[in-house]
Amino acid sequence: MSDLIKHATEKTFEADVLNSELPVLVDYWAPWCGPCKAIAPLLEEVSRDYEGRVQVVKVDVQDHPEVAARF
């Protein structure tokens, strides 16, 4: 996985997403989700192509359901 993609939790979501200086693309995903796995390479590409202009942040909804329910 790209070092450019952040992995947010309920503790880091506010800093990583809500208070980000850059626009943020949030990927709410789960390890068992086939379509989530299918778009992962595209998110890697986006994180590289738009480095410094857009932040890609992933939230594992299985481990952090509070974040997904709240947003």
Side-chain angles (χ1 to χ4, degrees):
M1 183 139 331
S2 172
D3 293 337
L4 299 173
I5 296 177
K6 291 185 178 182
H7 295 269
T9 67
E10 54 274 342
K11 292 181 181 180
T12 66
F13 190 86
E14 185 171 342
D16 292 341
V17 178
L18 301 179
N19 295 332
S20 176
E21 293 182 9
L22 297 174
V24 180
L25 171 63
V26 180
D27 176 30
Y28 295 96
W29 72 285
W32 44 262
C33 174
C36 299
K37 291 179 183 180
I39 68 164
L42 296 173
L43 295 174
E44 299 267 348
E45 186 176 332
V46 167
S47 70
R48 284 190 307 273
D49 291 351
Y50 291 91
E51 181 179 4
R53 295 183 285 166
V54 172
Q55 177 64 56
V56 177
V57 176
K58 295 178 76 79
V59 176
D60 183 337
V61 298
Q62 183 171 305
D63 289 343
H64 308 286
E66 302 85 9
V67 175
R70 193 168 148 211
F71 298 97

